[in-house]
Amino acid sequence: MNPQFDYIFELFTLLISLAVAEMLMGFSRILKMRARRKAGVDPTAISVRVGWLVPLLGLLVLIDLATFWSIIWTMRGVLDMRIATIFGVLVLIGGYYLIATLVFPDEPELWPDFDAYFWQQKRVVVGGVLLINIASTVASLMLGAQGAEQVAAAQKAALEHPAFAISSMIMLLNFPAFLWLAFSRRRIVCIVLMGFIVFTQLFHAYATWGLEGIL
């Protein structure tokens, strides 16, 4: 591992932790609001409809944050302590944190129907995640983060473990799925696409479990 990566990773960890905390706080606000609604102690919360769209979007972003973290980890051998690297980390991770703050409304009581909030923020959130994923993937390829050993390990795993080969191919469909999700105006299509992306990420995590040298 590049010794300078430790200093860069500290900055990365701080920003990504803030993004994860923002997502968990969003889920926490929804659960607390539902508890107040069931108890009948908050008349405002009673009239709020959460639905499925915003929670699914939050789950998608949270899981994608974990995947994004793994991409940065694969770059540990090629990132060094330069001002350009620091700016790049700030742009990518800072952008991700900004996106995370938009997934859930800060004051849920102001949105009687969370679906309306979803349609207002969906294109910014999904489009932002897609752009960051593309940028990080391109950066990883340009910097040669996947060395000969990692490539050989991936090829061997694909031959010996069919689940890994299938999950790797399905993961390639995430990019068009994100693009479709960003522009779709149909509720059921958005639910299916978000479910598909979440499934592919979880399936890939399962398929790579226990495979040495594979993230």
Side-chain angles (χ1 to χ4, degrees):
M1 181 188 298
N2 185 350
Q4 298 181 24
F5 180 77
D6 292 338
Y7 299 99
I8 301 171
F9 199 65
E10 288 179 4
L11 174 61
F12 169 80
T13 301
L14 173 62
L15 293 174
I16 205 75
S17 298
L18 289 174
V20 171
E22 187 70 29
M23 300 304 306
L24 296 178
M25 287 176 60
F27 283 110
S28 175
R29 284 193 293 268
I30 289 179
L31 294 175
K32 290 178 180 178
M33 184 181 62
R34 284 184 169 178
R36 296 197 303 270
R37 180 174 60 190
K38 289 182 178 180
V41 298
D42 187 350
T44 305
I46 294 175
S47 62
V48 175
R49 176 186 176 276
V50 176
W52 287 97
L53 293 176
V54 169
L56 272 176
L57 182 62
L59 179 62
L60 183 151
V61 173
L62 186 61
I63 291 178
D64 194 78
L65 276 167
T67 304
F68 180 64
W69 197 325
S70 69
I71 292 176
I72 298 298
W73 180 253
T74 62
M75 301 169 67
R76 64 190 181 276
V78 295
L79 290 179
D80 52 12
M81 195 65 176
R82 297 182 182 180
I83 191 65
T85 304
I86 296 175
F87 282 158
V89 170
L90 285 174
V91 169
L92 290 178
I93 314 303
Y96 226 134
Y97 172 72
L98 178 61
I99 290 169
T101 63
L102 300 176
V103 175
F104 295 96
D106 292 332
E107 300 179 10
E109 294 81 3
L110 298 180
W111 294 89
D113 188 350
F114 270 33
D115 284 3
Y117 181 83
F118 171 84
W119 294 115
Q120 179 173 311
Q121 302 288 10
K122 185 253 301 182
R123 185 170 297 182
V124 175
V125 172
V126 176
V129 171
L130 175 60
L131 289 176
I132 290 174
N133 282 338
I134 291 175
S136 59
T137 301
V138 170
S140 177
L141 293 174
M142 291 181 62
L143 293 173
Q146 294 291 334
E149 294 183 1
Q150 288 79 9
V151 173
Q155 292 175 343
K156 180 180 179 182
L159 293 175
E160 298 178 354
H161 303 275
F164 172 74
I166 295 172
S167 70
S168 299
M169 289 187 292
I170 294 178
M171 283 285 288
L172 295 177
L173 298 176
N174 273 2
F175 289 109
F178 267 113
L179 186 61
W180 190 0
L181 176 61
F183 290 97
S184 177
R185 297 183 179 180
R186 298 183 60 185
R187 182 177 184 273
I188 186 63
V189 171
C190 290
I191 291 176
V192 171
L193 288 172
M194 287 189 287
F196 170 77
I197 295 172
V198 169
F199 168 76
T200 58
Q201 305 256 11
L202 294 177
F203 179 52
H204 186 70
Y206 165 77
T208 56
W209 184 272
L211 299 183
E212 186 175 353
I214 304 294
L215 286 178

